[in-house]
Amino acid sequence: MPSTPRRGATAAADNIAIENPRFPVENTEKLSEEELKLKTRKEIQALGVQLGKMNIAAWASHDEKDEKKSSPRDINKEERGSGRTEFQKRAASWEEAEKSRYTARYKREDIKIQAWESQQKAKLEAEMRRIEAKIEQMKAQAHARAVKKIAMLRQRTEEKLAAAEARKNREAARITAKGEYIRQTGRIPSSNYICCGLL
């Protein structure tokens, strides 16, 4: 038996109704529109089961379940409630995503700040080492200058000491010469001579 009805659809429906004693043919004029829809769905479901077309049977029973659902007011309330929960879920997920995004951003900024801080510390430490090296160099140069000045001072001192020693020796030689003159002549030389000699 084919799954699609033939041209004489009413005749086929009558035959099915006759073959299936569970759904006897009734007067359609007496039935209301709702009952007619329900009867038609039941017939389609029975026909689907009889033909082995389970998807048709499931569709018919599904429509029956849809009909038993609550009124449009209840549907609107349910939709509003589910919409609110959906909005709350969406808002919570958006909030979590934003928080995680900002947390990651601030972590990146924190890493950048710490890297900048360590770079600045390294620069300052290098500057301090450079200044310390410069100070050590200046200290060494000052020490060398001081040593040089001390050496020059020692040299001048030695020169002055040598000059003083030479003067002392000359004076001693002159005094000795005068003493010898006095011994030989018996005369003391005049003071003018001594003053002029000293000058």
Side-chain angles (χ1 to χ4, degrees):
M1 193 167 184
S3 61
T4 57
R6 293 182 211 158
R7 287 191 177 179
T10 53
D14 291 341
N15 288 340
I16 291 168
I18 292 169
E19 289 173 9
N20 194 347
R22 286 188 303 174
F23 299 107
V25 178
E26 296 178 13
N27 190 1
T28 56
E29 293 174 3
K30 292 180 183 177
L31 298 175
S32 68
E33 188 177 331
E34 196 67 34
E35 290 172 345
L36 186 61
K37 284 182 183 179
L38 185 61
K39 182 183 172 205
T40 307
R41 282 193 194 122
K42 284 182 181 178
E43 287 175 0
I44 291 170
Q45 185 178 4
L47 182 62
V49 170
Q50 191 177 14
L51 295 174
K53 303 288 184 180
M54 295 312 291
N55 55 353
I56 295 172
W59 173 79
S61 65
H62 181 69
D63 283 347
E64 197 173 312
K65 287 175 187 173
D66 286 348
E67 283 296 319
K68 290 178 183 176
K69 277 189 179 176
S70 56
S71 67
R73 283 185 184 174
D74 295 338
I75 291 169
N76 285 341
K77 284 180 184 177
E78 288 174 10
E79 285 177 0
R80 280 187 211 145
S82 65
R84 283 182 186 164
T85 56
E86 181 67 31
F87 290 158
Q88 288 173 354
K89 287 178 186 176
R90 195 180 299 170
S93 65
W94 178 85
E95 191 175 351
E96 285 296 318
E98 286 294 307
K99 282 181 182 176
S100 63
R101 188 165 64 97
Y102 278 108
T103 303
R105 183 167 141 197
Y106 286 122
K107 280 183 183 176
R108 286 193 303 268
E109 285 184 11
D110 190 31
I111 290 167
K112 283 181 185 176
I113 289 167
Q114 287 177 357
W116 175 82
E117 183 186 10
S118 62
Q119 184 182 12
Q120 294 300 316
K121 278 183 182 176
K123 279 184 182 178
L124 289 173
E125 286 171 1
E127 183 73 16
M128 285 176 67
R129 282 193 298 270
R130 189 178 64 78
I131 290 169
E132 285 172 0
K134 194 172 181 180
I135 287 169
E136 287 296 322
Q137 185 181 3
M138 288 170 69
K139 192 175 176 182
Q141 288 174 355
H143 182 69
R145 280 196 301 270
V147 167
K148 190 176 178 182
K149 283 182 179 179
I150 289 168
M152 287 173 67
L153 180 64
R154 190 171 295 143
Q155 184 182 358
R156 287 181 69 186
T157 304
E158 287 174 0
E159 287 173 359
K160 286 187 177 190
L161 285 172
E165 186 72 26
R167 271 197 312 270
K168 178 182 150 188
N169 290 338
R170 277 195 311 267
E171 284 294 320
R174 192 180 315 142
I175 289 170
T176 305
K178 282 185 183 181
E180 193 63 34
Y181 175 74
I182 292 171
R183 279 188 205 107
Q184 288 176 4
T185 60
R187 285 190 273 162
I188 297 175
S190 66
S191 61
N192 287 342
Y193 174 74
I194 295 170
C195 285
C196 291
L198 289 174
L199 292 174

